[in-house]
mmCIF file with all atom_site columns, all heavy atoms in Angstrom:
data_model
loop_
_atom_site.group_PDB
_atom_site.id
_atom_site.type_symbol
_atom_site.label_atom_id
_atom_site.label_alt_id
_atom_site.label_comp_id
_atom_site.label_asym_id
_atom_site.label_entity_id
_atom_site.label_seq_id
_atom_site.pdbx_PDB_ins_code
_atom_site.Cartn_x
_atom_site.Cartn_y
_atom_site.Cartn_z
_atom_site.occupancy
_atom_site.B_iso_or_equiv
_atom_site.pdbx_formal_charge
_atom_site.auth_seq_id
_atom_site.auth_comp_id
_atom_site.auth_asym_id
_atom_site.auth_atom_id
_atom_site.pdbx_PDB_model_num
ATOM 1  N N   . ASP A 1 218 ? 56.645 -47.585 -76.306 1.00 0.00 ? 218 ASP A N   1
ATOM 2  C CA  . ASP A 1 218 ? 55.379 -48.102 -75.809 1.00 0.00 ? 218 ASP A CA  1
ATOM 3  C C   . ASP A 1 218 ? 54.282 -47.046 -75.962 1.00 0.00 ? 218 ASP A C   1
ATOM 4  O O   . ASP A 1 218 ? 53.174 -47.327 -76.423 1.00 0.00 ? 218 ASP A O   1
ATOM 5  C CB  . ASP A 1 218 ? 55.565 -48.483 -74.340 1.00 0.00 ? 218 ASP A CB  1
ATOM 6  C CG  . ASP A 1 218 ? 54.381 -49.240 -73.792 1.00 0.00 ? 218 ASP A CG  1
ATOM 7  O OD1 . ASP A 1 218 ? 53.852 -50.095 -74.534 1.00 0.00 ? 218 ASP A OD1 1
ATOM 8  O OD2 . ASP A 1 218 ? 53.992 -48.979 -72.643 1.00 0.00 ? 218 ASP A OD2 1
ATOM 9  N N   . GLY A 1 219 ? 54.609 -45.811 -75.604 1.00 0.00 ? 219 GLY A N   1
ATOM 10 C CA  . GLY A 1 219 ? 53.640 -44.727 -75.705 1.00 0.00 ? 219 GLY A CA  1
ATOM 11 C C   . GLY A 1 219 ? 53.204 -44.530 -77.147 1.00 0.00 ? 219 GLY A C   1
ATOM 12 O O   . GLY A 1 219 ? 52.015 -44.379 -77.434 1.00 0.00 ? 219 GLY A O   1
ATOM 13 N N   . VAL A 1 220 ? 54.170 -44.587 -78.056 1.00 0.00 ? 220 VAL A N   1
ATOM 14 C CA  . VAL A 1 220 ? 53.859 -44.382 -79.472 1.00 0.00 ? 220 VAL A CA  1
ATOM 15 C C   . VAL A 1 220 ? 52.930 -45.485 -79.979 1.00 0.00 ? 220 VAL A C   1
ATOM 16 O O   . VAL A 1 220 ? 51.909 -45.228 -80.610 1.00 0.00 ? 220 VAL A O   1
ATOM 17 C CB  . VAL A 1 220 ? 55.160 -44.338 -80.312 1.00 0.00 ? 220 VAL A CB  1
ATOM 18 C CG1 . VAL A 1 220 ? 54.846 -44.377 -81.800 1.00 0.00 ? 220 VAL A CG1 1
ATOM 19 C CG2 . VAL A 1 220 ? 55.955 -43.085 -79.966 1.00 0.00 ? 220 VAL A CG2 1
ATOM 20 N N   . SER A 1 221 ? 53.278 -46.750 -79.656 1.00 0.00 ? 221 SER A N   1
ATOM 21 C CA  . SER A 1 221 ? 52.474 -47.840 -80.211 1.00 0.00 ? 221 SER A CA  1
ATOM 22 C C   . SER A 1 221 ? 51.071 -47.848 -79.587 1.00 0.00 ? 221 SER A C   1
ATOM 23 O O   . SER A 1 221 ? 50.087 -48.107 -80.267 1.00 0.00 ? 221 SER A O   1
ATOM 24 C CB  . SER A 1 221 ? 53.193 -49.183 -80.017 1.00 0.00 ? 221 SER A CB  1
ATOM 25 O OG  . SER A 1 221 ? 52.895 -49.741 -78.774 1.00 0.00 ? 221 SER A OG  1
ATOM 26 N N   . LEU A 1 222 ? 50.984 -47.540 -78.305 1.00 0.00 ? 222 LEU A N   1
ATOM 27 C CA  . LEU A 1 222 ? 49.656 -47.502 -77.674 1.00 0.00 ? 222 LEU A CA  1
ATOM 28 C C   . LEU A 1 222 ? 48.804 -46.385 -78.265 1.00 0.00 ? 222 LEU A C   1
ATOM 29 O O   . LEU A 1 222 ? 47.621 -46.561 -78.538 1.00 0.00 ? 222 LEU A O   1
ATOM 30 C CB  . LEU A 1 222 ? 49.807 -47.287 -76.166 1.00 0.00 ? 222 LEU A CB  1
ATOM 31 C CG  . LEU A 1 222 ? 50.172 -48.526 -75.355 1.00 0.00 ? 222 LEU A CG  1
ATOM 32 C CD1 . LEU A 1 222 ? 50.516 -48.140 -73.928 1.00 0.00 ? 222 LEU A CD1 1
ATOM 33 C CD2 . LEU A 1 222 ? 49.028 -49.521 -75.363 1.00 0.00 ? 222 LEU A CD2 1
ATOM 34 N N   . PHE A 1 223 ? 49.414 -45.220 -78.467 1.00 0.00 ? 223 PHE A N   1
ATOM 35 C CA  . PHE A 1 223 ? 48.705 -44.064 -79.024 1.00 0.00 ? 223 PHE A CA  1
ATOM 36 C C   . PHE A 1 223 ? 48.141 -44.441 -80.399 1.00 0.00 ? 223 PHE A C   1
ATOM 37 O O   . PHE A 1 223 ? 46.977 -44.201 -80.710 1.00 0.00 ? 223 PHE A O   1
ATOM 38 C CB  . PHE A 1 223 ? 49.682 -42.889 -79.138 1.00 0.00 ? 223 PHE A CB  1
ATOM 39 C CG  . PHE A 1 223 ? 49.031 -41.545 -79.321 1.00 0.00 ? 223 PHE A CG  1
ATOM 40 C CD1 . PHE A 1 223 ? 48.952 -40.647 -78.261 1.00 0.00 ? 223 PHE A CD1 1
ATOM 41 C CD2 . PHE A 1 223 ? 48.490 -41.188 -80.547 1.00 0.00 ? 223 PHE A CD2 1
ATOM 42 C CE1 . PHE A 1 223 ? 48.345 -39.407 -78.432 1.00 0.00 ? 223 PHE A CE1 1
ATOM 43 C CE2 . PHE A 1 223 ? 47.888 -39.940 -80.716 1.00 0.00 ? 223 PHE A CE2 1
ATOM 44 C CZ  . PHE A 1 223 ? 47.820 -39.057 -79.660 1.00 0.00 ? 223 PHE A CZ  1
ATOM 45 N N   . ALA A 1 224 ? 49.003 -45.087 -81.209 1.00 0.00 ? 224 ALA A N   1
ATOM 46 C CA  . ALA A 1 224 ? 48.616 -45.411 -82.576 1.00 0.00 ? 224 ALA A CA  1
ATOM 47 C C   . ALA A 1 224 ? 47.568 -46.525 -82.627 1.00 0.00 ? 224 ALA A C   1
ATOM 48 O O   . ALA A 1 224 ? 46.672 -46.496 -83.461 1.00 0.00 ? 224 ALA A O   1
ATOM 49 C CB  . ALA A 1 224 ? 49.848 -45.818 -83.380 1.00 0.00 ? 224 ALA A CB  1
#
Side-chain angles (χ1 to χ4, degrees):
Chain A
D218 189 40
V220 170
S221 87
L222 281 171
F223 196 104

